[in-house]
Amino acid sequence: MRPLLVRGGRVIDPSQALDAPAQVLLVNGRVEALGPDLAPPDGAQVLDATGLVVCPGFVDLHTHLREPGEEEKETIATGALAGVRGGFTTLCAMPNTLPPIDTPALVEAVRRRAEEAGLARVLPIACVSKGRQGKELAELADLARAGAVAFSDDGSPVANAFLMRTALHYSTLTGLPIINHLEEPALARGVAHEGWVASRLGLPGIPPQAEESMAGRDIALCALTGGRLHLAHISTAGTAQMVRWAKERGLPVTAEATPHHLCLTDEWLLGTRGEGSPFAPLSPSAYDTHCKVNPPLRTRFHRDALQRALREGVIDAIATDHAPHTPVDKACTFQEASFGISGLETAFALCYTILVAQEGIPLLRLLEALTVGPARVLGEKGKGLGSLRPGSAGDLVVLDLRKRWTVDPSRFASKGKNTPLAGVTLQGMVVATVVGGRVVYDARSSPTGGRG
Ligand SMILES: [Zn+2]
């Protein structure tokens, strides 16, 4: 493989608190050097990043790739392409496929399919329980040996407290995090956040306490076992407060939040894109099923609390919860529609537009939550990811912070066109993505000419 020199960019690497003009040299798939005056070695390929930001490739802790079993929604190959178009060089694949990833052979199959696709790195997450049934623990040690990087029954919670206790106990042996989808089933029978918007629309609600009661339980079990607990897609002020409390006590707890929970509110269900009023007439685009997601979009109060928690580092990682669906899954009533947003290709721009440009969260902090933050959640398995220190994986992304573009889901590489952001203009575009020292996406030379 030819060496690659990324030249002329502003390099931002949160893993070394770096924000300076620099060149990055990648050799044999790894970062060889980083500095102000590197010359290209003989035969090197040069990637021009003049006027652009260069940062480590993004790491997504929470991606639904749907393969095996639901290839009409997404495949590992289409998901990996969507990933690199969104700047994600590592995708942690959730195991709620058909069949669920609960055996070493299935873990290996996911890894093999990802290698064939040859785009983003795909790290398999395996099930906590056999068949995701929530009854019997899967063979966690064998799954870890086969290459699983974490365990989760995501899509469903580990509802049984004893099973969760046992899983966390095992994690002290494997060193791998247990990722829980926080949802007390008895409280989560609705389709939208329980509040005035759901009342106005006549939709059954899901209270924040459905999430918070399980977050509290899990943090208590983390204290009991000392196991590694990672809280998936936290969406409420109360959960953020509990994570803050747990971290202050030194518990091995980490948390992620999605771009949509950090940036949008349940007022989007009114079809007014966040400018709702309880007294306004209903918009014809109310009940847009593309806004249906689990956990639900919540109120400004919760969104603001999540933004605060991100700013303070209480939230370790921004994870997409990329959940692609077919049009049929969404072309139905709000109650019947599937939960989920196709998020890989809008994550960075949505976060940049709202969190940095509008709310003033430092860019370095946003990029930390997309790079070294999630890499640290993965512990040993994340070593060398999310960083441009010499010796790290040669994964990086080139960003144009000034570029504005309008979301057109028909141009997504993902099979999932389900996004509430269709027609919305965002700021910040992924220009190029490099995985293992190889340019796997370049908007300037791609056949579709990027999205701009
Ligand atoms: Zn989930």
Side-chain angles (χ1 to χ4, degrees):
M1 191 195 309
R2 290 165 71 195
L4 177 69
L5 185 75
V6 184
R7 191 162 64 181
R10 167 186 169 197
V11 176
I12 304 183
D13 181 4
S15 80
Q16 37 189 331
L18 175 77
D19 183 350
Q23 340 267 48
V24 189
L25 177 63
L26 308 176
V27 178
N28 293 329
R30 305 211 145 257
V31 179
E32 173 82 10
L34 179 72
D37 334 285
L38 300 178
D42 284 348
Q45 184 187 352
V46 174
L47 186 68
D48 183 34
T50 306
L52 305 171
V53 163
V54 178
C55 72
F58 302 154
V59 177
D60 190 9
L61 292 173
H62 197 137
T63 321
H64 295 280
L65 293 176
R66 308 297 191 204
E67 186 179 354
E70 291 183 300
E71 288 85 351
E72 72 282 9
K73 293 180 194 263
E74 194 78 291
T75 65
I76 290 172
T78 57
L81 182 59
V84 298
R85 288 180 65 126
F88 291 93
T89 53
T90 300
L91 304 174
C92 297
M94 277 296 174
N96 61 332
T97 49
L98 298 171
I101 309 302
D102 64 351
T103 66
L106 285 162
V107 170
E108 274 155 29
V110 170
R111 283 175 43 197
R112 241 192 338 270
R113 295 288 289 127
E115 269 162 39
E116 283 161 20
L119 294 163
R121 297 171 199 276
V122 175
L123 306 180
I125 297 171
C127 296
V128 170
S129 67
K130 286 184 182 162
R132 285 179 69 247
Q133 295 294 304
K135 297 198 174 95
E136 208 184 327
L137 207 63
E139 300 290 347
L140 302 194
D142 292 346
L143 291 162
R145 238 171 279 133
V149 298
F151 300 101
S152 182
D153 278 356
D154 187 66
S156 310
V158 178
N160 182 303
F162 182 73
L163 192 72
M164 190 61 183
R165 175 185 179 169
T166 315
L168 283 167
H169 181 70
Y170 261 86
S171 88
T172 65
L173 308 174
T174 62
L176 304 183
I178 308 297
I179 304 177
N180 203 13
H181 165 111
L182 305 168
E183 182 181 43
E184 168 53 48
L187 292 175
R189 292 182 173 155
V191 295
H193 171 74
E194 188 169 308
W196 73 262
V197 170
S199 298
R200 177 79 177 80
L201 295 175
L203 297 172
I206 303 174
Q209 288 75 10
E211 171 176 310
E212 292 161 357
S213 57
M214 194 164 279
R217 182 205 75 174
D218 285 355
I219 289 168
L221 292 174
C222 172
L224 176 64
T225 58
R228 264 290 288 120
L229 173 66
H230 180 70
L231 303 179
H233 44 54
I234 74 167
S235 70
T236 82
T239 308
Q241 191 59 20
M242 283 187 264
V243 175
R244 191 177 278 114
W245 180 90
K247 288 186 164 188
E248 281 166 7
R249 272 146 197 82
L251 296 175
V253 174
T254 52
E256 71 189 30
T258 69
H260 46 272
H261 291 111
L262 284 161
C263 300
L264 311 182
T265 67
D266 63 345
E267 290 167 45
W268 279 59
L269 275 63
L270 298 165
T272 56
R273 302 207 148 148
E275 300 303 319
S277 151
F279 309 108
L282 269 188
S283 153
S285 47
Y287 299 98
D288 180 3
T289 55
H290 293 117
C291 297
K292 183 177 175 184
V293 64
N294 191 15
L297 298 178
R298 300 210 185 262
T299 60
R300 297 176 193 199
F301 168 75
H302 293 290
R303 178 201 59 187
D304 293 352
L306 290 184
Q307 291 180 358
R308 212 156 38 242
L310 176 71
R311 201 186 281 265
E312 293 169 8
V314 168
I315 290 171
D316 300 84
I318 293 175
T320 65
D321 193 7
H322 175 73
H325 289 293
T326 65
V328 171
D329 298 320
K330 291 288 193 180
C332 50
T333 67
F334 201 90
Q335 301 237 36
E336 288 168 322
S338 298
F339 288 100
I341 291 173
S342 179
L344 284 171
E345 290 164 87
T346 54
F348 172 73
L350 178 60
C351 289
Y352 184 77
T353 305
I354 302 295
L355 302 177
V356 178
Q358 186 178 308
E359 299 297 333
I361 291 176
L363 176 60
L364 191 77
R365 178 66 201 117
L366 169 65
L367 294 179
E368 182 178 24
L370 286 165
T371 59
V372 73
R376 284 192 193 118
V377 169
L378 294 173
E380 276 299 310
K381 305 276 186 181
K383 278 250 165 79
L385 299 176
S387 172
L388 294 176
R389 284 180 187 281
S392 303
D395 300 354
L396 60 79
V397 54
V398 180
L399 304 167
D400 183 342
L401 300 183
R402 285 177 302 253
K403 183 82 175 175
R404 297 174 145 272
W405 58 283
T406 300
V407 178
D408 175 0
S410 73
R411 298 179 76 178
F412 282 1
S414 170
K415 288 192 183 183
K417 313 298 180 193
N418 49 302
T419 173
L421 299 171
V424 173
T425 297
L426 299 175
Q427 185 179 346
M429 198 174 86
V430 175
V431 174
T433 306
V434 174
V435 177
R438 200 164 60 84
V439 181
V440 292
Y441 173 64
D442 190 336
R444 297 166 296 190
S445 62
S446 91
T448 54
R451 302 195 203 82

